[in-house]
Amino acid sequence: MSAPKKLFIKTYGCQMNVYDSERMAESLGAQGYEATETADDADMILLNTCHIREKAAEKVYSELGRFKGLKEAKPDLKIGVAGCVAQAEGAEIMRRQPMVDLVVGPQSYHRLPELEAKARSGEKALDTDFPEEDKFEHLARRPKAARGPTAFLTVQEGCDKFCAFCVVPYTRGAEVSRPADRIMGEARDLVERGVREITLLGQNVNAYHGHERGLSGLIRDLAKVDGLERIRFTTSHPNDMDDDLIAAHGDCEKLMPYLHLPVQSGSDKILKAMNRKHTAESYIKLIERIRGVRPDLLLSGDFIVGFPGETEEDFADTMALVETVGYGQAYSFKYSTRPGTPAAERAQVKEDAKLERLHRLQALLKDQQVAAQEAMIGRDVSVLFERDGREAGQMTGKSEYLHAVHVEAPDVARGDLRRVRILASTSNSLKGALL
Ligand code: 5AD
Ligand code: SF4
């Protein structure tokens, strides 16, 4: 047998890309590739790209530029671009950067083996279709390799919501849910390989309809899998939080008390312009209902500042919503124009106003994050240990609230789930002691 070829994948953007990269690595593994950590010794470099905010395509081109020397030194090296920039730019990538051999959009990863063979034979390989078949069912798997204690599992892709700022409905296409039995099979396989926590992924995961009772039905079935201890899901839209999914936060023990529920803005005028189809008040009421069944829920969110038409008053509404809701952590972004989306054509907020608002919002969110972490001091949490800590003899894991927790515990192993008392809070993590 010939020596295995080496594959270097660089992943940008969301967790769905992380999951896709794993599956692409498995699929190319069946073609004789093994993973490498550096581009320098790779036979194939794959950039799995993100297009959610501006300059993504430019970043990809400059990253590709850096591989020029490698390609000259090793003409057999194949370079591919996957992900949402591949979908959006298509053949343009090969025109602008002729050393690219392969371009594959997110819905076509199951065609990667054919595309790889084509590229290997010296042809250009391009696929940015939205095929009918489920790519995940057609992706080859490697023989059962052991895994770490946590895993992502994509259950749904695409989005039909068409928020006025967002490229996802165009790059990932319409909502598609994977059938529940396939997901159950994949989850059992992950658990056999050592996984104890699964995060269900989807661009609009709570719109999942591959189970007759939706996402909560799937979660309740997964909760019956022995050996699976924790379930999470991300990312959700407020309008798809149905009654049973809310109830599951109160009565499904394996569903963790952490919820990422983006609101984007606290101004009803801006929410309407964003085509979000909910108001600030309906969002606040929803959070109250979820906290009614799970008072210790740690809430996370996404915010956009400087959306076209946003005034100081609208921004003040966003700050007020953050004060009212209280986030354990959150992501915030300056609005960035995405060609082809409705908001791109509208009059834009000045860059310095956007930046100034972003700083104010981030300061408030940081204060809330610090307060949420400090509120954990003295409390007992359960920690799923994932890796060695930064210091010798230290182990690091995540609490049910997704806080990183460091513990001095030389006898704890990866995959152990242990009770820990929180003793201190540092900038982005907690310190604790085993109970
Ligand atoms: N500009 C800024 N932020 C954006 N997001 C999506 N599109 C844009 C855009 N054009 C943010 C939203 C979304 C998160 C994944 O990225 O907050 O929830
Ligand atoms: Fe984009 Fe999320 Fe809105 Fe869908 S719901 S359009 S993925 S921001």
Side-chain angles (χ1 to χ4, degrees):
M1 241 179 83
S2 57
K5 292 177 289 227
K6 294 225 159 88
L7 170 69
F8 174 69
I9 303 189
K10 183 160 180 181
T11 308
Y12 301 81
C14 67
Q15 291 146 328
M16 304 205 38
N17 272 9
V18 176
Y19 176 81
D20 284 346
S21 290
E22 282 173 13
R23 297 297 305 267
M24 286 194 277
E26 287 183 353
S27 169
L28 288 172
Q31 305 287 112
Y33 281 90
E34 69 182 26
T36 172
E37 298 295 308
T38 65
D40 298 346
D41 62 350
D43 298 288
M44 165 112 134
I45 296 174
L46 207 50
L47 299 182
N48 191 6
T49 60
C50 170
H51 203 229
I52 196 89
R53 280 170 291 275
E54 232 168 341
K55 303 203 180 87
E58 291 315 311
K59 258 190 248 159
V60 172
Y61 288 116
S62 71
E63 183 77 37
L64 287 169
R66 269 186 260 155
F67 299 139
K68 207 166 168 207
L70 283 178
K71 182 96 173 179
E72 279 164 6
K74 194 182 200 179
D76 270 356
L77 169 67
K78 298 296 167 196
I79 297 181
V81 180
C84 293
V85 173
Q87 188 65 42
E89 296 271 297
E92 176 64 18
I93 297 179
M94 286 161 171
R95 267 193 294 276
R96 269 189 65 182
Q97 195 48 272
M99 70 181 181
V100 171
D101 305 283
L102 186 158
V103 172
V104 58
Q107 303 313 316
S108 304
Y109 293 154
H110 54 298
R111 297 182 178 161
L112 205 51
E114 292 155 50
L115 294 167
E116 188 272 340
K118 197 169 170 191
R120 195 73 25 232
S121 75
E123 283 178 70
K124 296 280 181 200
L126 170 79
D127 194 335
T128 53
D129 288 349
F130 283 108
E132 289 284 307
E133 70 264 25
D134 177 351
K135 70 177 181 191
F136 297 117
E137 300 322 315
H138 293 79
L139 275 169
R141 309 218 62 174
R142 262 191 306 215
K144 295 194 189 304
R147 302 216 21 154
T150 63
F152 294 134
L153 205 174
T154 294
V155 304
Q156 178 279 339
E157 279 198 281
C159 182
D160 296 338
K161 294 275 189 293
F162 290 93
C163 296
F165 49 82
C166 186
V167 283
V168 165
Y170 311 96
T171 55
R172 292 269 176 166
E175 258 177 38
V176 181
S177 292
R178 301 178 63 197
D181 56 345
R182 305 259 171 81
I183 294 164
M184 293 301 294
E186 198 173 323
R188 286 194 197 95
D189 173 64
L190 287 168
V191 170
E192 275 171 32
R193 291 156 71 186
V195 169
R196 305 192 76 187
E197 171 180 311
I198 290 181
T199 302
L200 304 174
L201 298 180
Q203 259 102 25
N204 215 325
V205 72
N206 58 345
Y208 175 76
H209 57 265
H211 187 288
E212 56 188 4
R213 281 169 291 129
L215 185 66
S216 62
L218 179 66
I219 289 171
R220 291 181 187 288
D221 284 357
L222 281 168
K224 293 181 200 138
V225 174
D226 281 342
L228 178 63
E229 306 295 343
R230 293 173 153 193
I231 303 166
R232 305 180 186 276
F233 63 90
T234 195
T235 267
S236 299
H237 190 286
N239 293 0
D240 292 314
M241 288 301 296
D242 66 27
D243 291 348
D244 192 52
L245 188 54
I246 294 173
H249 282 91
D251 62 37
C252 181
E253 256 179 56
K254 291 186 180 176
L255 182 59
M256 291 294 103
Y258 175 98
L259 178 64
H260 181 67
L261 196 61
V263 65
Q264 314 295 355
S265 168
S267 151
D268 287 343
K269 182 191 96 189
I270 295 299
L271 288 170
K272 194 160 196 302
M274 285 176 164
N275 192 32
R276 290 287 294 179
K277 300 197 171 79
H278 60 76
T279 61
E281 194 191 333
S282 69
Y283 177 84
I284 291 168
K285 287 244 157 70
L286 174 63
I287 300 299
E288 281 169 2
R289 281 186 65 202
I290 306 167
R291 284 187 170 144
V293 299
R294 189 74 210 222
D296 61 336
L297 186 91
L298 191 134
L299 193 69
S300 164
D302 289 342
F303 296 89
I304 296 178
V305 301
F307 185 79
E310 186 188 77
T311 60
E312 264 303 314
E313 221 177 9
D314 296 317
F315 176 68
D317 289 344
T318 298
M319 295 290 277
L321 178 137
V322 172
E323 295 274 12
T324 304
V325 170
Y327 289 86
Q329 75 104 46
Y331 305 92
S332 47
F333 314 99
K334 285 187 292 179
Y335 169 70
S336 117
T337 45
R338 312 307 296 122
T341 60
E345 310 300 322
R346 302 179 193 162
Q348 302 294 314
V349 171
K350 286 206 173 61
E351 195 54 35
D352 52 352
K354 280 188 200 173
L355 192 61
E356 191 267 334
R357 287 175 199 171
L358 185 70
H359 287 155
R360 269 153 65 199
L361 177 59
Q362 288 185 337
L364 175 59
L365 290 168
K366 181 74 192 173
D367 284 349
Q368 293 194 343
Q369 183 197 323
V370 169
Q373 285 186 200
E374 283 176 354
M376 300 306 300
I377 297 172
R379 284 183 56 187
D380 298 343
V381 297
S382 79
V383 175
L384 178 59
F385 286 95
E386 289 169 40
R387 58 192 155 82
D388 295 345
R390 254 167 277 142
E391 292 157 33
Q394 225 185 35
M395 285 293 288
T396 299
K398 295 273 169 62
S399 77
E400 50 274 66
Y401 307 100
L402 213 56
H403 284 132
V405 180
H406 309 290
V407 170
E408 312 289 332
D411 58 334
V412 164
R414 267 181 111 196
D416 283 357
L417 192 60
R418 301 282 293 268
R419 297 295 293 170
V420 169
R421 177 153 304 159
I422 301 301
L423 301 175
S425 168
T426 59
S427 65
N428 276 313
S429 58
L430 300 172
K431 281 195 169 159
L434 288 185
L435 284 173

